Amino acid sequence: STLDDDLFEIGVPGNIFYVKGGTGPITYTLGEGVSITAAGGASNPIKIIGYATTRGDAPTGVTRPIIAMGANGFSLGANWEASNLIVIGTAAQLFSLGTGGKTINCKVYNSSSVAARTAIYAPNPDQFIYRTEGISLRGYGLYDYGSCWVDSCYFHDSDIGRILGNNFNGQTYAINTIFADNVTGAIGNLGLRSNTVVLAHCTLYGAENKLGTGVNLLTGTTDFKILNTIIYGFVTGVTHADVQSVGFDDYNDYFNNTTDVTNWTKG
């Protein structure tokens, strides 16, 4: 209805909104954009949890409930946590996290044909994205500004899998994550990154016939670390706009790239 946002605004720290999924799949078409101003507590967040049959059963695949946003976005407030949901739509920023936000076992799919739209938007401090899938057909699977921990995720079939914006929120990590079949590149940055960025135990995959760039770093970006990562099937594996030696690279597997590195030193 046109009161969907009002529903979530009644949340107070410690509340849980359960959303039923199951076979079907079950789809909820929201009648308006959701931009939550209500905040959870740092030690007792507000949660939105999908389930298939019984609350707490941790559904996977299409047994998770589908939240259909159309052209509207869904924006969580501070200290909100979303688990076991599928969110679909075409908004500029389809699913956004607030300060201290978490998303676990979710899938966010932005099907817009407009360039530079985002599936998961993480512009705030202290965000955690775990076992989550992000797809934006003409844009970014994940767009974050720092202090964002990404673990065991899958960003694929987008223009760019993950975009790093201007840093102002501290260190950023991606571990145990797959970036695959993204047209322009797996990881890029749209602004100066002088804080620590760590990419470890990941797989970056372009295509068998080589596609795009694995990691593309702009002028002034420093302290980028790549460890124990496979970088496979790109026109260029890692490229930096500056000749520099601040970045760190070790125990990585560069394979089937036209050019492995530009202005970057392998370990």
Side-chain angles (χ1 to χ4, degrees), residues 4-5 8 30-36 67-76 87-97 108 110 117-119 121:
D4 291 322
D5 181 79
F8 293 105
L30 272 62
E32 64 176 357
V34 173
S35 182
I36 302 167
I67 310 297
M69 296 302 303
N72 297 313
F74 195 115
S75 180
L76 299 177
V87 181
I88 61 175
T90 60
Q93 285 98 31
L94 178 54
F95 189 70
S96 302
L97 301 183
V108 183
N110 193 323
R117 300 213 161 184
T118 299
Y121 186 56

Side-chain angles (χ1 to χ4, degrees), residues 138-158:
R138 298 293 181 269
Y140 315 130
L142 169 64
Y143 190 164
D144 73 90
Y145 279 83
S147 192
C148 182
W149 187 286
V150 176
D151 186 356
S152 305
C153 293
Y154 183 30
F155 301 107
H156 63 99
D157 292 287
S158 303

Side-chain angles (χ1 to χ4, degrees), residues 57-140:
D57 62 7
T60 59
V62 295
T63 63
R64 293 172 291 185
I66 298 173
I67 310 297
M69 296 302 303
N72 297 313
F74 195 115
S75 180
L76 299 177
N79 297 314
W80 279 67
E81 178 181 311
S83 301
N84 313 326
L85 303 176
I86 297 174
V87 181
I88 61 175
T90 60
Q93 285 98 31
L94 178 54
F95 189 70
S96 302
L97 301 183
T99 298
K102 299 180 180 68
T103 176
I104 301 164
N105 189 34
C106 291
K107 177 179 179 178
V108 183
Y109 176 57
N110 193 323
S111 61
S112 176
S113 61
V114 178
R117 300 213 161 184
T118 299
I120 302 168
Y121 186 56
N124 295 295
D126 304 321
Q127 296 155 123
F128 180 58
I129 301 172
Y130 178 60
R131 291 179 56 214
T132 288
E133 184 178 358
I135 310 105
S136 180
L137 293 182
R138 298 293 181 269
Y140 315 130

